[in-house]
C-alpha cells in the first residue's frame, strides 16, 4: 500500500537562516505553497498556535524523523518545520547547503497522518536521466509509497 494524496507543496532555495542552529527551523512561506496540503482541522489547530506532528523523509532517504509543524505568526503567516530541524540539516549536509534547491511534497499515511518528503533538485551541470521536475516528482511518489509500506 502506498502513500496517498501526494501533493507538491513548494520549491525552495535553502538560505543560511534555514541552516543555523540558533534558528532550527525550515520556513515554508504560505504565499509559495502551490497546493493546499492540510486538513481544515489541522489548519485550525495551527491557527490556535498548536503544532501537528509530521513524518519527514529526508533527502538522504535513509532517514526519517518526526518534526512539529507550526504556523509562524509573522508576515505572510508561513509554516515552519521545527524541533530537530538542525539535526536534519546535519545529516543531509551534502544536499542541504546555502543556495541549494529542494522540493517539498506532502502525502498522507494510511492512518491519514501527514508525511512530507524533502527532495533535492539537481544543480545545473549535474547529470540526471530526467528533467529535475520529473525526477523529483518520481522520487517523491516512490519515496512516499515506500514510506507507506513501512507504516
Amino acid at each position: 500500500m502506498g502513500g496517498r494524496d501526494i501533493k507538491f507543496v513548494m520549491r525552495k532555495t535553502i538560505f543560511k537562516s534555514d541552516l543555523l542552529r540558533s534558528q532550527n527551523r525550515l520556513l515554508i512561506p504560505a504565499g509559495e505553497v502551490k497546493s493546499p496540503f492540510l486538513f481544515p482541522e489541522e489548519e485550525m489547530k495551527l491557527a490556535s498556535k498548536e503544532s501537528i506532528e509530521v513524518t519527514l523523509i529526508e533527502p538522504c532517504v535513509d532517514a526519517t524523523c518526526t518534526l512539529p509543524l507550526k504556523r509562524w505568526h509573522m508576515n505572510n503567516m508561513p509554516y515552519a518545520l521545527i524541533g530537530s530541524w538542525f539535526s536534519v540539516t546535519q545529516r543531509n549536509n551534502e544536499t542541504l547547503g546555502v543556495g541549494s534547491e529542494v522540493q517539498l511534497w506532502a502525502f498522507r499515511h494510511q492512518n491519514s497522518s501527514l508525511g512530507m518528503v524533502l527532495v533535492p533538485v539537481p544543480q545545473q551541470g549535474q547529470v540526471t536521466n530526467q528533467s529535475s521536475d520529473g525526477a523529483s516528482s518520481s522520487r517523491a511518489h516512490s519515496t512516499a509509497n515506500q514510506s507507506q509500506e513501512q507504516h
Side-chain angles (χ1 to χ4, degrees), residues 1 7 13 20 22-25 29 36 41 54 57-58 63-64 66 107 118 121 130 132:
M1 293 182 199
K7 296 180 180 180
T13 300
L20 293 175
S22 60
Q23 298 288 323
N24 196 27
R25 82 321 180 240
E41 57 272 14
V54 175
I57 301 172
E58 299 178 23
T64 61
T66 302
F107 67 96
L118 195 60
V121 175
Q130 300 180 14
S132 63

Side-chain angles (χ1 to χ4, degrees), residues 93-114:
N93 63 353
E94 290 184 20
T95 54
L96 294 178
V98 174
S100 62
E101 300 266 331
V102 294
Q103 290 184 345
L104 186 63
W105 294 77
F107 67 96
R108 294 291 169 170
H109 293 284
Q110 198 65 28
N111 66 2
S112 295
S113 65
L114 182 62

Side-chain angles (χ1 to χ4, degrees), residues 14-21 85-86 89-90 96-98:
I14 300 295
F15 295 102
K16 184 177 180 180
S17 60
D18 296 317
L19 303 173
L20 293 175
R21 179 187 301 265
W85 169 252
F86 183 74
T89 67
Q90 296 301 290
L96 294 178
V98 174

Side-chain angles (χ1 to χ4, degrees), residues 7 15 23-24 26 28 32 35 38 45 47 51 53 66 81 83 88 103 105 118 126 128 137 140 149:
K7 296 180 180 180
F15 295 102
Q23 298 288 323
N24 196 27
L26 177 68
I28 305 167
E32 294 180 29
S35 302
L38 296 171
K45 191 172 184 179
S51 65
E53 295 296 308
T66 302
L81 285 171
V88 173
Q103 290 184 345
W105 294 77
L118 195 60
Q126 288 181 329
T128 62
S137 174
E149 291 170 2

Side-chain angles (χ1 to χ4, degrees), residues 9-72:
V9 177
M10 69 175 290
R11 182 171 174 151
K12 179 176 176 60
T13 300
I14 300 295
F15 295 102
K16 184 177 180 180
S17 60
D18 296 317
L19 303 173
L20 293 175
R21 179 187 301 265
S22 60
Q23 298 288 323
N24 196 27
R25 82 321 180 240
L26 177 68
L27 284 181
I28 305 167
E32 294 180 29
V33 171
K34 304 299 182 196
S35 302
F37 62 97
L38 296 171
F39 292 149
E41 57 272 14
E42 292 170 331
E43 282 284 6
M44 289 186 340
K45 191 172 184 179
L46 294 177
S48 67
K49 299 185 179 183
E50 295 181 57
S51 65
I52 58 173
E53 295 296 308
V54 175
T55 303
L56 178 70
I57 301 172
E58 299 178 23
C60 66
V61 183
D62 295 337
T64 61
C65 63
T66 302
L67 297 174
L69 177 72
K70 289 193 72 114
R71 197 74 189 233
W72 224 244

